């Protein structure tokens, strides 16, 4: 019989029954709602059998609950709703047998206990035809046709009920599968639309099976028009043959069954091109047949820029560290050679280390590729010596353009020079009393493609001063270190009434005046 696992069995179907089943199958294929499926099938079977009521019941033996979603009723009340399996316990052995059966008169049938006969009579169930749905040994449901008067049920009618039950179960399984697929697609669509990653899938003709909004928008940004389901992926790139070739080659690898990751640059021109991290994989249907390819890709242009910047920063840090250590060692040796004792060494050495620290602090606040300007270094040293405000500041004149940059690798040496000059001006020079003056003037001199920063440090005082620089470290930096390390040209003139120091050093080509 059609309701069993292995065979349709039973009486042969009459031509009109076959037409009925074919028509029912066609009608059910157009329906997806379980209630509508059951309603349509029950209505048609009731008309075909001239029954008073037809209903399909879903049975869950584990929970002891059965469900009638819809029934077709000509006479009597509806049975739609949930019921206890125990309410028709008498029928369970017959249902588990797996074959349709008929009850001619429930009031007199030995198949029903007395209590159940009364219950059936109350529901106008006198004649009864039932076809169980038994799959792999599990009782899943039953299709029931009832009449309000006694009725004999020929084998052909029972066979028709059994075949109809099978059609209903198949349609319900299809409906359930479609519902699951719809839910899965909704979830996947939500995930795809909720990410900034770009997702797309194509078939073997390069037509889009799916793409999320992020992919469509990026495609439009690159190639001038959005793309959607059914569109040809390579069509929008036809004006850029090389980019079209790159896209086709990489998609063909996935269409050939390969799964891989790669990073590539795409874009019609350097101004709009971006780097993408791409993951490609083949796409298969439920039978395992490849139907196309998919990829997920992410714009990693900014990540690559940051990584490249980090490499530059690390290289620059290593370079600066080596230079700084060299300067510190040189400062330590020179300071030790001219210190009277350990306390004197500590005082001088720490002051010079602080000067180096201030220069390093300026470097650490720069973006990659930028330079420290001379005026910012000068103002930092003025502040460190307390010369940026008050009466002493009134003795100082500053004159020069802003934004003249210095080579980072030689900044520490320049910072030490300014530190030594300012320290000596406060201890021995123009700033030891109110009668002195300090003028710091800097200019950029251009000679063809070369640019030099010329700094003139001029101190004036009226009363004789002792020789500036107890150990001559500042003068040594100016006359020896700057020419050696920066290619500077220097002048250091110390007289009874003042000091004139001139430093002319190469500056970067990108200097600007603010």
């Amino acid at each position: 019989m059609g309701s069993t696992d292995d065979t349709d069995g039973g009486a042969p179907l009459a031509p009109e029954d076959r037409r009925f089943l074919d028509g029912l199958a066609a009608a059910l294929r157009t329906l997806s709602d379980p209630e509508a499926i059951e309603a349509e099938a029950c209505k048609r079977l009731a008309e075909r059998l001239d029954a008073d009521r037809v209903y399909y019941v879903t049975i869950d033996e584990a929970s002891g609950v059965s469900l009638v979603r819809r029934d077709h009723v000509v006479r009597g009340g509806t049975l739609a709703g949930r019921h206890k399996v125990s309410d028709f316990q008498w029928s369970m052995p017959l249902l588990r047998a797996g074959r349709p059966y008929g009850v001619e008169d429930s009031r007199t049938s030995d198949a029903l206990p007395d209590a159940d006969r009364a219950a059936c009579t109350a529901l106008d169930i006198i004649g009864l035809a039932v076809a169980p749905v038994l799959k792999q040994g599990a009782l899943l449901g039953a299709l029931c046709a009832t009449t309000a008067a006694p009725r004999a049920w020929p084998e052909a009618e029972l066979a028709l009920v059994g075949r109809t039950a099978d059609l209903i179960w198949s349609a319900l399984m299809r409906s359930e599968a479609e519902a699951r697929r719809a839910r899965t697609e909704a979830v996947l669509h939500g995930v795809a639309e909720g990410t900034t990653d770009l997702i797309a899938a194509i078939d073997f003709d390069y037509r889009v099976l799916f793409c999320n909004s992020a992919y469509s928008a990026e495609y439009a940004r690159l190639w001038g028009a959005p793309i959607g389901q059914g569109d040809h992926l390579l069509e929008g790139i036809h004006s850029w043959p090389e980019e079209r070739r790159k896209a086709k080659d990489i998609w063909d690898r996935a269409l050939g069954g390969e799964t891989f990751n790669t990073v590539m640059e795409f874009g019609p021109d350097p101004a709009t091109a971006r780097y993408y991290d791409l993951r490609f994989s083949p796409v298969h249907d439920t039978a395992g047949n490849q139907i196309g390819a998919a990829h997920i890709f992410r714009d990693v242009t900014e990540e690559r820029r940051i990584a490249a910047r980090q490499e530059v920063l690390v290289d620059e840090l290593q370079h600066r560290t080596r230079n700084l250590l060299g300067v510190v060692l040189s400062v330590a040796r020179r300071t030790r050679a001219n210190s009277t004792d350990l306390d004197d060494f500590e005082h001088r050495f720490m002051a010079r280390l602080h000067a180096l620290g201030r220069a390093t602090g300026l470097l650490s606040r720069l973006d990659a590729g930028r330079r420290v300007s001379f005026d910012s270094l000068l103002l930092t040293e003025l502040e460190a010596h307390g010369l940026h405000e008050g009466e002493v500041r009134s003795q100082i004149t500053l004159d020069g353009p802003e934004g003249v940059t210095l080579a980072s690798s030689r900044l520490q040496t320049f910072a030490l020079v300014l530190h030594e000059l300012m320290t000596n001006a406060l201890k021995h020079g123009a700033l030891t009393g109110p009668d002195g003056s300090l003028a710091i003037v800097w200019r950029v001199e251009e000679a063809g493609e070369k640019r030099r920063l010329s700094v003139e440090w001029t101190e004036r005082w009226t009363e004789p001063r002792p020789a500036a620089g107890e150990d001559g470290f500042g003068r040594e930096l100016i006359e020896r270190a700057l020419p050696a390390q920066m290619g500077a040209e220097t002048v250091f003139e110390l007289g009874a009434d003042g000091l004139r120091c001139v430093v002319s050093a190469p500056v970067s080509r990108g200097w600007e005046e603010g």
Side-chain angles (χ1 to χ4, degrees), residues 96-281:
R96 292 194 187 98
R99 296 181 63 84
Y101 65 90
V103 174
E104 183 175 348
D105 191 337
S106 64
R107 297 170 299 184
T108 60
S109 174
D110 293 337
L112 282 74
D114 291 343
D116 292 296
R117 284 199 293 268
C120 286
T121 301
L123 293 172
D124 290 324
I125 299 177
I126 305 301
L128 174 64
V130 181
V133 176
L134 195 68
K135 301 296 177 181
Q136 297 180 344
L139 180 61
L140 304 178
L143 179 60
C144 306
T146 71
T147 58
R151 174 167 176 172
W153 299 94
E155 282 296 319
E157 291 185 343
L158 292 177
L160 185 63
V161 175
R163 301 288 183 88
T164 302
D166 271 350
L167 288 177
I168 294 173
W169 181 82
S170 297
L172 291 176
M173 292 304 98
R174 174 182 53 78
S175 171
E176 183 178 329
E178 290 175 352
R180 284 197 303 269
R181 183 171 62 250
R183 288 192 297 269
T184 301
E185 290 177 353
V187 170
L188 293 178
H189 182 79
V191 171
E193 290 300 326
T195 181
T196 56
D197 289 348
L198 304 124
I199 303 172
I202 65 170
D203 61 19
F204 286 100
D205 293 326
Y206 306 100
R207 295 203 173 274
V208 176
L209 296 171
F210 170 83
C211 68
N212 65 352
S213 299
Y215 186 98
S216 181
E218 185 67 0
Y219 191 97
R221 187 191 72 81
L222 288 173
W223 315 116
I227 195 169
Q229 185 172 344
D231 292 339
H232 196 285
L233 181 78
L234 302 179
E235 186 62 31
I237 320 177
H238 68 276
S239 298
W240 297 272
E242 179 60 24
E243 296 299 301
R244 181 186 175 97
R245 183 196 61 78
K246 286 166 55 178
K248 182 179 183 300
D249 288 349
I250 202 164
W251 273 107
D252 283 348
R253 289 177 60 186
L255 290 172
E258 186 177 352
T259 297
F260 60 95
N261 280 82
T262 188
V263 175
M264 293 189 68
E265 184 183 27
F266 279 107
D269 58 68
T272 58
R274 308 284 289 179
Y275 282 95
Y276 301 97
D277 184 355
L278 306 140
R279 175 173 177 79
F280 284 83
S281 60

Side-chain angles (χ1 to χ4, degrees), residues 1 35 45 168 183 240 251 372 444 485:
M1 181 54 61
E35 188 172 319
L45 184 61
I168 294 173
R183 288 192 297 269
W240 297 272
W251 273 107
V372 175
V444 173
Q485 295 184 12

Side-chain angles (χ1 to χ4, degrees), residues 421-476:
L421 287 172
M422 289 185 182
T423 299
N424 287 335
L426 284 166
K427 293 174 64 176
H428 311 290
L431 303 182
T432 58
D435 60 328
S437 65
L438 168 62
I440 306 172
V441 179
W442 64 97
R443 296 285 184 268
V444 173
E445 301 170 346
E446 297 193 41
E449 293 296 319
K450 298 181 179 180
R451 295 186 176 90
R452 301 182 71 87
L453 170 64
S454 177
V455 181
E456 184 169 354
W457 180 289
T458 305
E459 297 183 41
R460 291 286 179 261
W461 52 78
T462 56
E463 297 182 3
R465 298 280 190 270
E470 297 174 356
D471 60 8
F473 181 55
R475 186 165 188 170
E476 181 178 336

